Amino acid sequence: MRIAGRRRFLNPAMLALAAAATGAAMGTAQARDLVVALKTEPTSMDPQYHALTPNIQLSQTLFDPLVCGDADLVPKPCVAESWKADGKVWTFKLRPNVKFSDGSPLTADDVVFTLNRVPKVPNSPSSFKVYLQKVEKVEAVDPLTVRITTSEPYPLLAINMVGLPIMSAKAMAGSAPEGKTTTELNSGNGLVGAGPYKFVSWKRGAEIVFERNPHYWGPKPAWDKVIYRPISNPAARVAALLAGDVDLIEDPPTDDLERLKKDPKLRVETKASNRVIYVALDQHGAPSPGITDTGGKNPLLDKRVREALSLAIDREALVARVMGGVATPAAQLLPYPMFGASDKLTKAAKADPDKAKALLKEAGYPNGFTMVLGTPNGRYINDSKVAQTIAAMWTRVGVKTSIDANAPAVFFKNRDSYAYSAYMAGWGTATGEMSNTLNSLLVTPDKDRGVGTTNRSRYSNPEMDKLVESSAAMMNDGARAAALARASEIAMADFAMLPIHFEHSVWAMKKNVRFQGRADQQTMVQYATQAN
């Protein structure tokens, strides 16, 4: 890829003072700040700590990666102006004269440091190692050339680079194995990137402030300063927009969309996303947390029970009534025709409560059982409402379900400590490929190999694993897509995870702001402009 009144006379000194005052006034008038209401506050400023959309959308505003993804996730040159693959060796040519926000040059050494740091970051809830599968060695050939050697031909390398923004080796120097620690980065220490904005401050729970990076290599950002305000309550976000306190908000309540669209002072942007909302089911062992009335057994180990839970969910009704149509029912974990999605799984199965009851009886649970469904409250569109609806649908077929709804940070902590037998969450992939989704959510967890990094159900299927693994070395796109589609079919036939729907992301903004929605749901302010 290459990819009117009586004339007055002023002396020169007075003219100079007048010009200076006018210039200052104009400068003040022209200074533009953008205030964004976030639905979820990031968990960290460390761009390699947590592969979570609220984190990624901010880190990729401070740091540019080698390869960027446009609004539809099509890869395009970023810090790397070109790249090529020769067997197992990839060569990335860096743009000349790219500088970090401190004015220092970005070189191949910074890329080497960045990629080598990923596996050293401790306690990552969802590791970025998933982007470095097959990578054996990263070398700086010269200041503007990076060579990456993989263990076998690996067609996903370039697109995977979208997920790894480049950090400054100099600014990141520290005594820990990873250099500056996550705690240090959260305070702003070492937070030096080559993105369009630079870090100013973070007051947890209140605001995050960025300002324009004067050394940015790309198009000048539209805003002098960006202030992010975490407002988890959707109605409160709308109220802040209507009051003029913020300029742009994420995910207004679906019930308010028609009213917002009719408001002449506002603009609403909608974009179908690749984020799937799913239910994960504990398939690790027995007993399972939150499940009772089973004599210590874990019924989720039985495929018939998992199928029954899926058949109990009326996805069409859920999308229409709970999501207000701002979603599409899901039959797999990535919408077709995205790469690796199966053309056999384009329509979600109809709900069948009677069959669900029959399957539960067949599996030995004629009276069902009791279960708790974990869910975040404020992370995804209508998340707790969706979870409540699913719980009610399960209860109708005999699986008496209550929900445990928590603020996102608490939910993810619980999830990552395997506190739930069943939980609802979401997944969106910046690469737009099924491989990233399966490798993260369903491949058998292997910390050393960086796979199964978000597989909290601990599902394991060797046949599916083998297909996903082998697809990674297939340079032929058709063959790779077919292997991934087959892997998806196997997982869905096994009810390894229950896809619910694909979200349609919505942003509401003042009329003088323009922001094109993105398929990855990220609110990247570098793409927000001022409207006339």
Side-chain angles (χ1 to χ4, degrees):
M1 181 175 182
R2 294 295 187 225
I3 333 202
R6 182 183 297 179
R7 179 179 293 178
R8 296 182 179 182
F9 295 90
L10 298 176
N11 64 37
M14 292 176 69
L15 285 170
L17 286 170
T22 301
M26 289 179 65
T28 301
Q30 292 174 350
R32 299 291 179 91
D33 295 348
L34 180 72
V35 184
V36 181
L38 300 173
K39 65 178 180 180
T40 305
E41 187 171 22
T43 60
S44 175
M45 285 294 154
D46 184 339
Q48 297 182 345
Y49 174 68
H50 193 176
L52 189 71
T53 296
N55 294 29
I56 295 169
Q57 66 185 16
L58 267 64
S59 69
Q60 295 214 358
T61 301
L62 298 175
F63 304 84
D64 266 353
L66 293 176
V67 183
C68 287
D70 68 10
D72 294 307
L73 310 187
V74 176
K76 61 180 183 179
C78 206
V79 168
E81 61 181 5
S82 66
W83 53 88
K84 65 178 180 179
D86 183 7
K88 297 187 294 183
V89 179
W90 285 75
T91 303
F92 290 81
K93 289 290 186 178
L94 309 185
R95 294 180 186 274
N97 303 316
V98 174
K99 295 181 179 180
F100 288 107
S101 59
D102 63 358
S104 61
L106 186 155
T107 71
D109 288 334
D110 299 300
V111 178
V112 173
F113 169 83
T114 297
L115 303 192
N116 286 339
R117 181 179 184 265
V118 172
K120 301 174 184 176
V121 178
N123 306 315
S124 172
S126 185
S127 176
F128 285 81
K129 286 174 66 177
V130 68
Y131 297 117
L132 292 176
Q133 296 175 59
K134 315 294 184 183
V135 171
E136 288 193 335
K137 185 166 53 176
V138 185
E139 304 169 279
V141 178
D142 60 47
L144 295 179
T145 307
V146 177
R147 180 191 298 134
I148 301 178
T149 304
T150 58
S151 58
E152 57 185 317
Y154 188 52
L156 299 177
L157 186 67
I159 189 69
N160 279 357
M161 290 299 101
V162 173
L164 296 167
I166 307 308
M167 309 175 78
S168 165
K170 177 183 176 182
M172 283 294 298
S175 58
E178 71 272 25
K180 289 289 193 299
T181 65
T182 297
T183 299
E184 289 175 301
L185 289 169
N186 288 342
S187 71
N189 185 3
L191 211 60
V192 175
Y197 289 90
K198 63 179 183 178
F199 178 83
V200 176
S201 62
W202 181 15
K203 297 177 182 178
R204 287 187 182 268
E207 68 175 22
I208 303 163
V209 181
F210 293 173
E211 65 183 16
R212 184 186 287 136
N213 175 7
H215 303 290
Y216 186 52
W217 63 270
K220 183 179 179 180
W223 314 98
D224 297 322
K225 184 182 292 184
V226 178
I227 300 100
Y228 300 94
R229 293 179 181 163
I231 305 177
S232 61
N233 184 284
R237 289 197 298 275
V238 170
L241 179 63
L242 294 175
D245 296 333
V246 302
D247 304 303
L248 170 68
I249 69 173
E250 299 178 318
D251 290 336
T254 54
D255 293 343
D256 288 341
L257 291 184
E258 288 307 311
R259 174 168 66 100
L260 295 176
K261 289 177 181 178
K262 293 176 182 178
D263 191 321
K265 301 186 296 298
L266 303 177
R267 186 193 311 276
V268 175
E269 178 78 18
T270 303
K271 179 78 171 182
S273 81
N274 65 26
R275 179 175 299 284
V276 64
I277 299 301
Y278 64 85
V279 171
L281 304 170
D282 175 28
Q283 294 159 67
H284 180 63
S288 183
I291 292 180
T292 57
D293 304 330
T294 62
K297 296 179 181 179
N298 178 4
L300 303 179
L301 294 172
D302 192 315
K303 174 186 168 183
R304 294 169 295 185
V305 172
R306 301 195 298 271
E307 182 178 3
L309 294 174
S310 183
L311 287 169
I313 301 172
D314 190 334
R315 293 166 174 81
E316 295 280 354
L318 194 155
V319 165
R321 299 170 190 170
V322 181
M323 295 299 293
V326 189
T328 302
Q332 57 185 318
L333 300 178
L334 194 67
Y336 182 82
M338 283 195 166
F339 195 94
S342 171
D343 59 3
K344 298 178 182 178
L345 298 172
T346 59
K347 190 173 181 60
K350 294 287 185 180
D352 191 338
D354 290 336
K355 185 176 179 181
K357 292 176 182 177
L359 283 168
L360 287 170
K361 182 177 181 180
E362 183 183 323
Y365 303 97
N367 300 315
F369 50 90
T370 301
M371 184 165 66
V372 176
L373 175 64
T375 180
N377 185 8
R379 172 64 189 94
Y380 310 108
I381 302 173
N382 295 338
D383 44 16
S384 62
K385 291 182 181 179
V386 171
Q388 288 169 353
T389 303
I390 291 173
M393 291 173 175
W394 283 353
T395 298
R396 289 192 193 107
V397 299
V399 179
K400 297 170 284 295
T401 308
S402 59
I403 70 166
D404 180 22
N406 290 286
V410 176
F411 165 78
F412 286 115
K413 182 178 180 180
N414 290 343
R415 182 202 69 174
D416 296 342
S417 61
Y418 304 100
Y420 302 122
S421 59
Y423 67 83
M424 190 191 80
W427 180 265
T429 173
T431 67
E433 289 212 12
M434 182 65 83
S435 56
N436 175 265
T437 298
L438 293 177
N439 264 310
S440 298
L441 295 180
L442 288 178
V443 165
T444 304
D446 187 324
K447 185 176 181 180
D448 293 336
R449 292 173 53 232
V451 296
T453 52
T454 315
N455 183 354
R456 299 296 186 261
S457 64
R458 291 172 284 190
Y459 171 78
S460 180
N461 185 316
E463 183 184 4
M464 189 207 73
D465 287 356
K466 186 176 180 180
L467 278 166
V468 177
E469 170 76 13
S470 63
S471 73
M474 296 176 181
M475 300 302 289
N476 181 285
D477 283 352
R480 188 166 80 257
L484 290 169
R486 179 57 187 150
S488 179
E489 291 160 11
I490 290 171
M492 295 302 97
D494 206 14
F495 299 92
M497 182 173 276
L498 311 184
I500 307 302
H501 61 257
F502 298 109
E503 290 186 340
H504 296 184
S505 296
V506 184
W507 294 263
M509 63 208 79
K510 292 179 179 178
K511 204 71 174 180
N512 63 347
V513 176
R514 289 188 183 276
F515 177 73
Q516 179 186 9
R518 296 176 56 84
D520 58 14
Q521 298 191 310
Q522 294 181 21
T523 306
M524 291 190 172
V525 296
Q526 56 266 51
Y527 301 119
T529 60
Q530 299 174 26
N532 295 326

